């Protein structure tokens, strides 16, 4: 038969134990609460400090906000775990950390590529191997960097097509940045007939190329005969240019070809053909 008195007695005893435990732990609760408030305040202070320092290192506001938020969360979590330790809930802390570890591993496998691109985006923002507007070549894609976010980089090709490339690829694989040092070498291959004076050919070629605008005058024009062709003696001429845009490079090369042809015509130098 159900005993109401026994049930009430057990309930009263249990409530009494809980009450005593709460009274006994009031100092720990107060200290834990104070510690938690302190860490919340500390997280805000550190976040403001990080927000002041990061713009001097990284130009991407999204990355700066992300890093400052992560720092703030880490500080708050330290405060939460410290408060739990003060309240004597070590087992709870252990369980939370274990659960977080399992969840972290599972999410790591599930979103491995996304995480890799995300981290690469952060590293790109800090190391700055390229910037918006740079002319780059990544694999088959050659064009300007027109957009960068936390996961992908957009390269707009010279034909106006957008190539969306994962940040992991942009960070781990080799690519060419034509804009980073503001200079580029123009190489031209030409052939002259066997009957021409080779000393004269070299002198005329260098002389006409020295007049080209946007040439880097701090570097000499390089002229090298390369081989004996079937109907010509071939040479390469190299000129360093101040590089800004691809169209400028093409325009200068276009003019250089015309100037060499005109100079050769004026000096009776033949460019033979088969």
């Amino acid at each position: 038969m159900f005993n109401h008195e026994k049930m009430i007695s057990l309930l009263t005893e249990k409530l009494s134990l809980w009450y005593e435990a709460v009274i006994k732990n009031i100092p720990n609760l107060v200290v834990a609460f104070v510690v938690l408030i302190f860490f919340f305040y500390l997280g805000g202070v550190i976040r403001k400090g990080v927000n002041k320092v990061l713009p001097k290192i990284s130009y991407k506001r999204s990355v700066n906000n992300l890093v400052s938020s992560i720092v703030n969360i880490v500080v708050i979590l330290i405060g939460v775990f410290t408060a739990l330790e003060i309240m004597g809930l070590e087992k709870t802390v252990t369980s939370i950390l274990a659960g977080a570890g399992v969840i972290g591993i599972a999410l790591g496998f599930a979103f491995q590529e996304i995480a890799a691109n995300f981290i690469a985006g952060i590293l790109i923002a800090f190391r700055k191997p390229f910037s918006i507007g740079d002319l780059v070549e990544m694999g088959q894609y050659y064009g300007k960097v027109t957009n960068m976010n936390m996961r992908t980089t957009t390269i707009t090709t010279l034909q106006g097509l957008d190539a969306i490339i994962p940040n992991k690829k942009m960070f781990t694989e080799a690519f060419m940045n034509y804009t980073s040092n503001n200079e580029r070498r123009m190489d031209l291959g030409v052939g002259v007939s066997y009957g021409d004076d080779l000393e004269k050919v070299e002198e005329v070629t260098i002389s006409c190329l020295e007049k080209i605008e946007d040439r880097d005058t701090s570097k000499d024009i390089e002229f090298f005969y390369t081989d004996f062709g079937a109907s010509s003696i071939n040479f390469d001429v190299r000129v360093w240019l101040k590089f800004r845009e691809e169209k400028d490079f093409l325009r200068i090369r276009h003019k250089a070809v015309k100037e060499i042809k005109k100079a050769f015509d004026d000096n009776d130098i033949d460019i033979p053909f088969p």
Side-chain angles (χ1 to χ4, degrees):
M1 186 174 181
F2 186 74
N3 191 333
H4 291 83
E5 292 181 0
K6 186 176 181 180
M7 182 191 70
I8 293 172
S9 175
L10 289 173
L11 182 58
T12 303
E13 183 180 355
K14 182 62 71 175
L15 289 173
S16 177
L17 291 173
W18 286 351
Y19 176 76
E20 290 177 4
V22 170
I23 296 298
K24 183 179 179 181
N25 285 294
I26 282 179
N28 290 344
L29 290 172
V30 172
V31 174
F33 181 74
V34 171
V35 167
L36 196 58
I37 294 299
F38 170 75
F39 273 93
F40 266 95
Y41 173 75
L42 181 63
V45 172
I46 294 177
R47 181 174 186 173
K48 289 180 181 178
V50 170
N51 281 331
K52 290 181 180 179
V53 174
L54 281 180
K56 300 177 182 178
I57 304 173
S58 170
Y59 64 94
K60 287 189 72 68
R61 183 178 300 176
S62 59
V63 175
N64 298 345
N65 291 336
L66 174 68
V67 173
S68 63
S69 297
I70 291 175
V71 170
N72 185 36
I73 292 171
V74 169
V75 173
I76 292 173
L77 286 176
I78 292 174
V80 170
F81 291 142
T82 304
L84 291 173
E85 288 281 352
I86 292 172
M87 294 169 59
L89 299 175
E90 295 88 352
K91 292 183 179 179
T92 303
V93 175
T94 304
S95 299
I96 292 174
L97 292 175
V102 173
I103 293 173
I105 292 173
L107 291 176
F109 280 109
F111 301 102
Q112 186 175 5
E113 285 299 317
I114 294 176
N117 289 323
F118 183 79
I119 294 172
I122 294 175
L123 294 174
I124 287 172
F126 279 99
R127 295 189 59 182
K128 301 179 184 178
F130 55 85
S131 302
I132 298 292
D134 282 0
L135 184 67
V136 301
E137 183 177 2
M138 163 55 76
Q140 67 189 82
Y141 305 110
Y142 177 59
K144 280 188 175 182
V145 177
T146 52
N147 186 42
M148 297 165 56
N149 58 45
M150 299 307 298
R151 291 187 56 250
T152 61
T153 295
T154 301
I155 295 178
T156 301
T157 67
L158 301 182
Q159 291 76 32
L161 304 176
D162 286 343
I164 312 298
I165 302 176
N167 284 335
K168 177 185 176 183
K169 186 179 180 72
M170 293 297 299
F171 188 74
T172 59
E173 296 187 16
F175 69 92
M176 298 286 291
N177 189 335
Y178 291 88
T179 311
S180 57
N181 58 3
N182 295 318
E183 63 178 4
R184 184 172 175 182
R185 195 181 75 184
M186 176 182 67
D187 295 358
L188 287 176
V190 190
V192 294
S193 68
Y194 278 88
D196 287 314
D197 183 339
L198 298 186
E199 292 294 335
K200 181 181 179 181
V201 169
E202 181 177 355
E203 180 182 341
V204 169
T205 303
I206 293 176
S207 177
C208 76
L209 291 178
E210 285 177 340
K211 303 172 184 177
I212 290 180
E213 60 182 12
D214 288 333
R215 183 177 72 86
D216 186 353
T217 56
S218 66
K219 297 182 179 180
D220 295 333
I221 295 174
E222 299 175 348
F223 184 103
F224 301 102
Y225 285 107
T226 56
D227 59 358
F228 296 93
S231 58
S232 64
I233 296 178
N234 302 316
F235 67 85
D236 287 336
V237 61
R238 303 168 183 173
V239 185
W240 285 94
L241 308 174
K242 299 173 183 177
F243 183 77
R244 294 185 298 272
E245 300 280 348
E246 176 69 10
K247 64 181 180 181
D248 295 329
F249 175 80
L250 296 176
R251 175 179 54 81
I252 295 172
R253 188 174 65 181
H254 165 80
K255 187 174 181 179
V257 171
K258 291 173 61 177
E259 291 295 325
I260 290 175
K261 176 64 168 62
K262 183 176 183 301
F264 281 10
D265 289 344
D266 292 343
N267 289 274
D268 296 323
I269 298 173
D270 294 328
I271 301 177
F273 52 89

